Each structure stands twice: as C-alpha cells, then as structure tokens.
C-alpha cells in the first residue's frame, strides 16, 4: 500500500510540473508596463521616473524590453519576476 501511495504522489508532482510553463505564461500575460517599470527601477535601485522603458515585447514566459537609465541603454528581460539587464553587445 505504501508503494501505491508513493507512486500516486510522484504522479501528481509530475503532472503539476507540466503546468509550470502554462501558469507562468498566464502570470506573464498580466504583466503591465507599470510592472516592468517598477521592477526595472528596483533592479537599478532607482526611482521609476529615472528609468525609461521602450520596445516592450511580451512573450509567453518573459517580457523583453529596452530600458534607459542614466543615459545608458540596456536590453532587459523580466522572467519569473526577476529583471536582467545588459548593455547591447555584452
């Protein structure tokens, strides 16, 4: 009986793991430009008015965009609530 319960638990976890991209996609669908701006400003340790956001491209799991902070352009990605920004060409 223990084996059957363990097998059932593994099956439930495996089935839920397949839902992660779908759930993440649903979460990203609700991402607004205000969310992107707020998270990017926090990433730079800046006030939202100090950051400019452009070329927002919402995809299934991530949002790609360009951010300008202190006169420097960055290519950024918001993925699972985390911001990554790099200067073009790096």
């Amino acid at each position: 009986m223990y084996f059957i319960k363990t097998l059932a638990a593994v099956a439930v976890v495996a089935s839920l793991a397949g839902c992660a991209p779908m759930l993440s996609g649903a979460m990203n669908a609700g991402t607004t430009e205000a969310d992107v701006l707020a998270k990017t400003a926090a990433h730079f340790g800046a006030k939202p008015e100090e950051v400019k956001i452009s070329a927002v491209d919402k995809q299934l799991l991530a949002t790609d965009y360009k951010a300008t902070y202190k006169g420097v352009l960055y290519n950024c990605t918001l993925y699972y609530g985390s911001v990554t920004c790099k200067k073009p060409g790096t």
Side-chain angles (χ1 to χ4, degrees), residues 8-47:
V10 169
V12 168
V13 170
S15 68
L16 290 176
C19 294
M22 185 172 65
L23 292 174
S24 296
M27 288 174 24
N28 194 51
T31 301
T32 66
E33 285 196 35
D35 297 330
V36 172
L37 178 60
K39 290 191 178 284
T40 306
H43 171 78
F44 287 119
K47 297 176 184 174

Side-chain angles (χ1 to χ4, degrees), residues 44 66-67 69 71-76 84-90:
F44 287 119
K66 298 194 180 303
Y69 175 62
V72 179
L73 177 69
Y74 296 88
N75 293 325
C76 299
T84 303
C85 293
K86 297 180 180 178
K87 293 178 185 175
T90 62

